[in-house]
Amino acid sequence: MSVADPLPVAQQVLGVEATDTQTEALRVAEFAKYKPTYHWDSTQEIELAGSTWRVLASAEIEDAEDTHFLDVVGMWTLSAETIIPPVDHTQILDPSSTEAQHPGNTDDSCNWDHSIVGETVVEISRVRRVLVPKRKGKDPQLTEDVVVNRLGSRIYARFIPVVANSADIPFYYPQVREYAFGYIEPEDKDHAASTLVILARELSPGSAVATKKQQMIWKDLIKRLYKWTVTERFGYQKRVEHDVMVDYETYTAKYQDLKAKYAAFWVDNWPEQTDPRKFVYEDIAIASWIICMWQQDSNNLRPSFVDLGCGNGLLVHLLTAEGYVGYGVDQCSRKVWTHYGQSVDLRAQTLEPYEYVADVDWIIGNHADELVPWIPVIAARSKAKFVVIPCCPHDFSGRKMTFPVVAGQSKYHAYSTYICDLAERCGFGVEKEYLRIPSTKNLAIVGRRRVAEVSQTDIDTMVQAGKQDFVPRVPDSVKSEVRLAKVQARKQQENDKSSL
């Protein structure tokens, strides 16, 4: 294939990162059957081991086995942060350690007898762990026992905070003596559905569901328990790996730092019509990851940058506020631009990517739409590095690309592969990282090392091939003006007709 040839997108075969759409369809069909029951208004209680437990929520689940439930409990035991977002990570204590053997909680109900109402009790597992919060300087760690028991056709995974009294339970943990996830097999074997339940030993009657916030916690947990159990039933295999280029601890520390500095202010003072909770936290996460990558890549030097298609400009603002020199470019200015101050360099202009060269160290494209395929080319011509997060698929002409729908393949992955191939043709060694951001379009493609010699002539050939067909996007403001003009013209015609 010559350098100027278009990529054969229709022939691309997706790899392990692609979504298995057939399995996904089955999972979605099972998710649609999710019909939980919440027990806020009518108290439902059961007696276990001489203690009263309140049933908080339940949901029937078809064709799930106890092994699926236990697999989910096992994953959640090792990673409490999966279901308790303020937790940074989980430390599993060595059973032989002094801390693990210290009783901590003297409540006799933590150890169930070998028989309860005639049923044999089998202890499947017992783990002592420490929950380490993200806000390490503000929130205390919590030691917790996780005990899994089988009672005949029932399994209960119990989560028991090891505290001297309830006042020692941190805010991020459910305010209960203990809570449990349960799996109950149907008594009638012809009935295919088992039941998932969440129980709690309350601090006082009704305290576990006293507020809307507490109820939302249990709603979220029963939904997660259902979906994760369904997913285990279909043999989930992790499709992507996070933290490849930047380790989790480094990224999380930087994210917490930037979040504490900037999140509250911009969420409360966001002047745009868009949802600040999405854009603010997403851009803080992206800025955190980019800074961490730059710090390990630049030997503590602060590289310069340009953000092409910068949109609301928040990413440029964050990087500038953290001491990096750069600017952002977009077709149209945004209302929020004037709120950043004069130190943030944001430029409203329409780029002709086939002419554009930037005198910077890094070129950024965060959901930059029709500029995305051009960014590796611009980086090669500018002798710069790049990071691009693709979103909607566009080719060199700026038109949207289409891909054949093939079972087991993802259009997003096909487009990402297209961008990676372009970068490789420009001589870059491509690295990829799935970012921890609230978006399904979360793949960062990075070119920070040149691994192949590509002549300027070859690059120019690619540029000329794209230049022939490229059509700049019409700014949204211009589209709005055109639509408004058409509406006004129609109204004028109607008025003219009515006056005849």
Side-chain angles (χ1 to χ4, degrees):
M1 181 190 302
S2 67
V3 175
D5 289 338
L7 296 174
V9 176
Q11 299 176 13
Q12 294 179 24
V13 178
L14 307 190
V16 294
E17 295 164 11
T19 300
D20 182 340
T21 53
Q22 293 176 324
T23 300
E24 198 69 13
L26 293 173
R27 287 205 309 162
V28 170
E30 288 300 312
F31 291 168
K33 299 177 183 179
Y34 175 64
K35 298 186 184 304
T37 301
Y38 307 121
H39 303 276
W40 320 142
D41 300 325
S42 59
T43 303
Q44 181 176 339
E45 296 178 338
I46 62 174
E47 292 291 325
L48 290 173
S51 297
T52 300
W53 291 73
R54 177 168 182 164
V55 181
L56 303 176
S58 59
E60 288 193 344
I61 182 169
E62 295 182 359
D63 299 324
E65 299 179 2
D66 56 4
T67 54
H68 303 141
F69 171 79
L70 289 171
D71 286 344
V72 173
V73 169
M75 288 186 287
W76 288 0
T77 299
L78 296 176
S79 301
E81 59 272 20
T82 304
I83 58 173
I84 308 178
V87 171
D88 180 71
H89 63 278
T90 307
Q91 294 178 351
I92 305 298
L93 299 180
D94 186 334
S96 62
S97 68
T98 302
E99 186 177 359
Q101 292 179 346
H102 190 278
N105 195 327
T106 57
D107 191 339
D108 291 338
S109 63
C110 292
N111 297 305
W112 285 359
D113 294 333
H114 291 294
S115 64
I116 299 177
V117 196
E119 291 184 302
T120 300
V121 178
V122 177
E123 185 173 292
I124 297 174
S125 64
R126 176 183 291 266
V127 171
R128 176 159 290 190
R129 64 183 187 176
V130 177
L131 310 186
V132 181
K134 290 178 179 176
R135 302 192 307 178
K136 297 178 178 62
K138 295 184 177 181
D139 301 323
Q141 297 182 358
L142 176 68
T143 301
E144 181 190 40
D145 286 330
V146 182
V147 184
V148 182
N149 295 111
R150 181 188 294 275
L151 286 72
S153 61
R154 296 173 290 166
I155 298 176
Y156 295 106
R158 303 162 54 219
F159 296 81
I160 311 161
V162 180
V163 293
N165 56 69
S166 61
D168 296 329
I169 300 176
F171 88 94
Y172 57 81
Y173 193 86
Q175 301 299 298
V176 294
R177 297 180 186 276
E178 63 174 298
Y179 67 97
F181 300 128
Y183 170 85
I184 303 173
E185 294 179 350
E187 295 182 3
D188 180 3
K189 297 301 181 182
D190 293 331
H191 184 58
S194 300
T195 303
L196 300 174
V197 297
I198 297 181
L199 315 172
R201 291 179 59 224
E202 297 184 291
L203 296 172
S204 60
S207 62
V209 294
T211 67
K212 293 291 185 182
K213 183 177 180 180
Q214 290 170 313
Q215 294 173 14
M216 286 301 298
I217 291 173
W218 306 121
K219 283 184 178 181
D220 179 67
L221 286 176
I222 191 67
K223 186 175 183 179
R224 286 178 186 241
L225 182 61
Y226 181 92
K227 287 193 169 184
W228 280 58
T229 305
V230 167
T231 301
E232 281 301 304
R233 173 189 153 202
F234 285 106
Y236 172 77
Q237 293 183 346
K238 192 174 183 179
R239 297 189 299 271
V240 301
E241 292 293 336
H242 295 283
D243 316 315
V244 175
M245 297 178 61
V246 177
D247 68 84
Y248 175 76
E249 289 74 17
T250 301
Y251 162 76
T252 302
K254 177 57 66 176
Y255 176 75
Q256 292 300 322
D257 177 34
L258 267 58
K259 178 182 173 184
K261 288 181 182 178
Y262 307 111
F265 175 82
W266 286 111
V267 168
D268 292 341
N269 297 278
W270 192 247
E272 304 285 352
Q273 296 298 315
T274 52
D275 183 0
R277 291 169 297 180
K278 177 187 187 303
F279 289 101
V280 171
Y281 290 109
E282 181 172 320
D283 281 1
I284 287 176
I286 294 171
S288 302
W289 182 82
I290 288 177
I291 290 172
C292 291
M293 178 184 63
W294 283 350
Q295 287 176 339
Q296 71 181 24
D297 186 64
S298 305
N299 296 320
N300 293 323
L301 298 177
R302 293 183 182 272
S304 58
F305 71 92
V306 59
D307 182 2
L308 300 182
C310 64
N312 59 44
L314 181 58
L315 180 58
V316 178
H317 166 65
L318 294 170
L319 295 175
T320 302
E322 290 299 301
Y324 294 87
V325 177
Y327 62 97
V329 180
D330 204 280
Q331 276 190 318
C332 302
S333 64
R334 306 295 198 275
K335 186 188 301 183
V336 70
W337 284 17
T338 60
H339 293 247
Y340 294 137
Q342 295 182 351
S343 63
V344 181
D345 187 355
L346 298 170
R347 308 173 187 181
Q349 65 184 86
T350 298
L351 289 183
E352 295 178 339
Y354 44 83
E355 301 286 353
Y356 187 78
V357 176
D359 184 19
V360 295
D361 298 311
W362 279 84
I363 297 174
I364 300 171
N366 175 23
H367 294 182
D369 293 337
E370 69 273 14
L371 293 178
V372 167
W374 283 96
I375 287 177
V377 178
I378 294 172
R381 298 182 76 197
S382 305
K383 295 181 172 53
K385 304 172 183 180
F386 77 87
V387 54
V388 63
I389 305 172
C391 185
C392 302
H394 293 80
D395 60 17
F396 268 138
S397 72
R399 290 187 291 266
K400 287 193 174 182
M401 302 176 71
T402 58
F403 299 91
V405 178
V406 180
Q409 296 187 357
S410 156
K411 292 181 180 181
Y412 182 64
H413 185 274
Y415 183 54
S416 301
T417 302
Y418 169 73
I419 301 302
C420 290
D421 287 347
L422 279 175
E424 290 174 352
R425 293 166 66 194
C426 292
F428 289 99
V430 174
E431 299 174 85
K432 296 184 289 184
E433 178 82 281
Y434 284 88
L435 304 182
R436 297 179 179 275
I437 60 176
S439 172
T440 56
K441 307 297 190 296
N442 63 337
L443 175 63
I445 300 171
V446 179
R448 55 179 172 173
R449 297 180 180 87
R450 303 297 290 272
V451 297
E453 290 293 332
V454 179
S455 69
Q456 190 62 44
T457 301
D458 288 339
I459 297 295
D460 290 341
T461 302
M462 294 179 67
V463 170
Q464 291 303 316
K467 179 179 179 180
Q468 295 174 3
D469 299 323
F470 183 76
V471 178
R473 174 201 281 188
V474 177
D476 291 340
S477 59
V478 175
K479 291 180 181 178
S480 297
E481 290 175 0
V482 172
R483 284 195 295 267
L484 180 60
K486 289 181 178 179
V487 170
Q488 291 174 339
R490 283 197 300 268
K491 288 183 177 179
Q492 185 62 46
Q493 290 175 354
E494 292 172 358
N495 291 335
D496 292 342
K497 289 180 180 179
S498 62
S499 63
L500 294 178

